[in-house]
Amino acid sequence: MSAAPPCILDLSSSQLDASFAADGLYVDYGACVVRVRSHLPRFGESFRRAYGAFDYLPTADFADFHVSLAPGRGIRRWLRPQSRFSIDAVEPFEPFPLASALPLFEWGVNWCFAQRFNQYVLLHAGTLAIGDRAVVMAATPGSGKSTLSAAMMLRGFRLLSDEFGVLDPETGNFLPMLKPVALKNRSIEIIRERSAAASIGPTFVGTRKGDVAHLAPDAASVAAAHRSAKPALVIFPAYRQGAALTLVPQPKEQAFARLAFNSFNYALLGSVAFNAVADVAERCPAYQLTYSKLDEAIACLRELLGEATTVGDVR
Amino acid sequence: MRRLGDAAVVFDAVTWQTHLLPPAAAVVADLIDELAQDGPLSSERLSRALREELDLDSDTPEIRELLRMFSEIGMLDT
Amino acid sequence: MSSSQSDRARQRRRIIQAAVGAPVVFTLPSGAALAAASLTCDDKSNLIRNTGIGGTDTALGVEAAPDGWVRYRLQVYEINPSGSGGKTNGITFDANPSSSSIWYTVNLSTGAATQVTVNGSPSLISGLYYYALVDYSAYPSSTASAYVYPAHAPVGSPIAGGSCWTSLLPTSSIGGNNVIN
C-alpha cells in the first residue's frame, strides 16, 4: 500500500519555491488538474497558506492546462516589481504587482477554467454539499456568496467551489472545482472572527477588486475533491444589512432563467446546457434567501437541504 | 420545450435562443400544440379556439404579438 | 366536452386570468455569458449604492445590490440628446421607440446610464446591443419603466453590470457590443 502524499503544508515555503522553479507542481482541483510553475520569489509562502490541505504533487499523469508565473520584464523585475501570469505561454492579463501574485494566480486559474472547460455546464454559483446533496447558490451581485460559502464550509458543509457550479450534463451531478475562497474587504475580518480554524492567507491590499484574502479549503473538502454531489437545492442569496431572514420560493422558470443567465458557457453549449439547467430547475426547490446573519442563513440552508430530495430520488 | 411547473422553456435549435414561456404563454402554447395535431392550423381556427377555450381575443395587439413570437420561434405555423 | 376537458379548460383560463398583463414570451439574451468585458460586480453595486437609488444599504463585509432581476437585451440607437454636443448612442425600453420615449445614454467607462430627452428621430444601429436589468415580475406590463429594476422604484442606472466574467477578470473595462454579460 503506497503512502498518502504529503500535503502542501508539510513543506516549507522555500521547498515549495524550489519545486515551482524546477518542474513545477500539480494542483488537483477535482474537476481539473493544473500544472503550476513559478519563478517568483516567495510565491510559495502565500500558496502554502491558501492550499495547505492539498496534496503535494510534484508529478502527475496529466494536467488539463499549464500555467506559469514569471517576474516582470526588464526593469520591472526590480523597479516596482511585477508578476505575470501565462497559460500555455500566452499572457491573458496585464501584469500585477509582485506582491499580488497569489490573487493574480487565483483569477488566472479561474479564467482558464471558465474559458476551456466546456465539457461541463459552468454556472456562476457557489456550490457546497452535505454528504452527496448539493446546494447551488447563484452568484449574483449582492448575494454575499463568497462570505456565505466560506461560513458554510466552516460550519461543516463540504465546499465544492465558491465560484463555479460545475454541472456534468451526462450525470446531472456537480463536481468540485475546489479553490481557496476569495474574501474581499470586510468579509476577511468577518470570517477570521468566526472561526479559529479558518486558515486565511495574507491580505492583499488594493487589488483591482479591493482588499483580498483567501480562505483555504479545509481538509474534509480537499479529501472529497473527486466526489460529486447531486443537486438538491437552488438558492438565490441576497445579503441585506439588518434584514430578517426571509425565504421566498422561486417559480421554476425563474430559477431556470437566473441559473442560465449566470452561466459562463450556457450560450455556447446550446441544448446540452438547456437540458442540464432545466433538469436542475425542474427537480430542485428554489428559493430567494434574504439574510443578514450568517448563522441564521446557514441553519436555514441546512434544514432545507435535509428536507429536499435529490435529483433521481424516489419519493 | 420543457415544462417547468405551469411555465415552460423552449430551446430553438435553429437560432440557439432560449425562450421562457410564463404560465399564461405556456397555456397558449399547449393549445396551439393540441390544435396542430389535427393538421395545419388556420388563423380562423386558432382565433376561435383562443376565444372559446381561453377567453382571449386574437385581434388585440398583445395576442397578435404573442402569436407573432410563437411563429418567430417556430412554435406556430399558420 | 368531457368533464376532464372542461376541467382543463377551466384551469387554463384560471392561469390566463392570474397573469399580470397579456401572455408574453421572454427570450434569454444569447451570447451573454461570453462577453469578456464589462463593469465589475463591485462597481455596479457601488454605483447603485452611491446614487442612493432603491434604498440599498451597504452590507457589512459584502457588497450589496438589489437582485431579483434578469438581464434584457436592448437595441442601441443613435440619438441626439437635447443640449448635448451631438449624436451619441442610446437605449430605451420602449418596444416602439420614438423621440418621446424615455431614452438613456450610457457611459461606457462606468456603465452608468443617464436619462436624456432627444431631438429628432433616433436611428437603429444594427447589431449593437446593451443589456439592462429587468424586473421579471413586471415584464409583462406594457409600461416601459416597469422593465427597469425594481419596478416600484426604478434604479437610475439600469445597465446590468454584474457579469460572471467580472467575477473572474482582475481588470475592469467596458467595450464592444455587449456592455455587460
Side-chain angles (χ1 to χ4, degrees):
Chain A
M1 188 170 65
S2 59
C7 62
I8 294 291
L9 208 57
D10 291 335
L11 276 74
S12 68
S13 305
S14 54
Q15 285 175 311
L16 287 171
D17 281 331
S19 280
F20 281 128
D23 291 330
L25 289 186
Y26 291 78
V27 184
D28 185 354
Y29 291 103
C32 77
V33 174
V34 179
R35 184 187 180 201
V36 184
R37 303 178 79 171
S38 167
H39 293 275
L40 298 181
R42 295 180 301 281
F43 176 67
E45 171 54 30
S46 49
F47 182 87
R48 184 172 178 271
R49 290 169 69 177
Y51 285 85
F54 282 68
D55 289 340
Y56 169 67
L57 299 172
T59 61
D61 292 335
F62 179 78
D64 291 285
F65 46 91
H66 300 243
V67 304
S68 176
L69 291 166
R73 289 199 172 84
I75 199 170
R76 296 309 298 270
R77 190 183 185 112
W78 301 282
L79 182 64
R80 286 185 286 130
Q82 293 176 328
S83 52
R84 290 180 294 126
F85 177 93
S86 66
I87 168 172
D88 297 337
V90 174
E91 291 184 29
F93 309 125
E94 295 168 4
F96 265 38
L98 178 62
S100 298
L102 182 66
L104 174 62
F105 171 73
E106 289 298 304
W107 280 320
V109 171
N110 280 347
W111 184 87
C112 296
F113 184 74
Q115 285 272 359
R116 293 192 170 192
F117 269 64
N118 295 311
Q119 67 270 43
Y120 303 121
V121 178
L122 300 179
L123 305 180
H124 191 203
T127 322
L128 296 97
I130 293 179
D132 292 330
R133 302 156 73 79
V135 52
V136 182
M137 302 193 297
T140 49
S143 62
K145 159 191 70 80
S146 292
T147 312
L148 183 54
S149 296
M152 288 168 71
M153 186 189 78
L154 293 171
R155 286 289 184 266
F157 282 73
R158 170 161 75 95
L159 178 68
L160 280 75
S161 177
D162 88 306
E163 199 72 66
F164 295 100
V166 183
L167 178 56
D168 183 344
E170 300 275 322
T171 64
N173 292 340
F174 282 89
L175 307 178
M177 176 53 187
L178 185 62
K179 295 183 79 268
V181 178
L183 303 170
K184 295 195 288 271
N185 303 318
R186 287 196 282 182
S187 298
I188 301 170
E189 283 315 306
I190 288 173
I191 295 301
R192 207 189 292 278
E193 285 166 11
R194 283 184 68 79
S195 172
S199 176
I200 299 178
T203 299
F204 299 92
V205 175
T207 73
R208 292 166 212 204
K209 291 189 182 289
D211 295 353
V212 173
H214 301 88
L215 172 69
D218 60 15
S221 298
V222 173
H226 286 274
R227 189 171 158 199
S228 63
K230 289 182 180 176
L233 183 63
V234 174
I235 294 292
F236 301 97
Y239 178 88
R240 300 284 181 270
Q241 189 174 13
L245 186 78
T246 56
L247 204 58
V248 177
Q250 297 291 289
K252 289 185 180 295
E253 78 278 11
Q254 188 160 3
F256 172 91
R258 294 175 76 177
L259 288 174
F261 274 134
N262 285 291
S263 165
F264 296 101
N265 60 1
Y266 176 89
L268 188 68
L269 297 182
S271 62
V272 169
F274 171 79
N275 283 306
V277 176
D279 283 344
V280 175
E282 183 180 27
R283 298 174 191 178
C284 295
Y287 298 92
Q288 170 89 20
L289 172 69
T290 304
Y291 68 99
S292 60
K293 297 188 177 72
L294 287 168
D295 284 334
E296 276 186 358
I298 293 169
C300 177
L301 292 172
R302 191 181 290 277
E303 191 176 325
L304 285 172
L305 206 56
E307 289 169 4
T309 56
T310 58
V311 175
D313 276 1
V314 176
R315 288 184 182 272
Chain B
M1 185 166 85
R2 293 279 302 263
R3 295 308 299 258
L4 295 174
D6 286 338
V9 289
V10 177
F11 180 76
D12 185 337
V14 173
T15 64
W16 276 44
Q17 286 183 314
T18 299
H19 307 282
L20 264 66
L21 274 58
V27 159
V28 176
D30 283 343
L31 180 63
I32 290 172
D33 196 45
E34 284 165 16
L35 295 172
Q37 285 172 17
D38 296 333
L41 183 58
S42 69
S43 302
E44 291 76 19
R45 189 158 154 251
L46 177 58
S47 294
R48 189 169 62 246
L50 286 171
R51 193 172 52 248
E52 290 174 2
E53 294 260 348
L54 303 178
D55 272 342
L56 289 176
D57 181 356
S58 64
D59 208 27
T60 60
E62 293 82 9
I63 301 303
R64 277 204 299 271
E65 173 62 15
L66 178 69
L67 298 180
R68 188 198 66 76
M69 274 299 300
F70 279 139
S71 290
E72 191 171 293
I73 64 179
M75 293 182 72
L76 174 59
D77 184 19
T78 58
Chain C
M1 187 185 286
S2 69
S3 66
S4 65
Q5 282 175 319
S6 58
D7 285 345
R8 189 181 60 199
R10 241 195 318 274
Q11 188 189 13
R12 284 175 169 176
R13 286 205 194 103
R14 204 159 40 231
I15 291 173
I16 296 283
Q17 284 155 16
V20 176
V24 290
V25 174
F26 183 77
T27 302
L28 271 68
S30 61
L34 298 180
S38 66
L39 186 66
T40 63
C41 302
D42 297 350
D43 290 348
K44 177 168 96 74
S45 300
N46 283 333
L47 201 63
I48 291 172
R49 186 166 57 241
N50 291 340
T51 55
I53 300 293
T56 304
D57 295 323
T58 306
L60 179 67
V62 296
E63 291 78 21
D67 176 47
W69 43 267
V70 294
R71 294 182 189 89
Y72 185 71
R73 189 173 74 171
L74 294 170
Q75 179 70 58
V76 178
Y77 290 76
E78 188 180 64
I79 61 174
N80 188 8
S82 302
S84 75
K87 292 187 177 180
T88 187
N89 290 348
I91 53 164
T92 178
F93 295 94
D94 259 341
N96 299 301
S98 70
S99 58
S100 60
S101 302
I102 299 174
W103 288 95
Y104 299 85
T105 57
V106 178
N107 183 326
L108 288 184
S109 297
T110 64
T114 306
Q115 189 173 336
V116 296
T117 53
V118 305
N119 300 321
S121 295
S123 58
L124 185 143
I125 303 175
S126 178
L128 187 62
Y129 305 95
Y130 294 159
Y131 291 87
L133 304 177
V134 175
D135 187 335
Y136 180 85
S137 65
Y139 177 77
S141 167
S142 60
T143 305
S145 65
Y147 290 145
V148 181
Y149 182 88
H152 61 281
V155 296
S157 293
I159 299 301
S163 159
C164 310
W165 288 101
T166 65
S167 181
L168 305 193
L169 290 176
T171 57
S172 63
S173 64
I174 292 178
N177 287 341
N178 299 327
V179 173
I180 346 80
N181 199 24

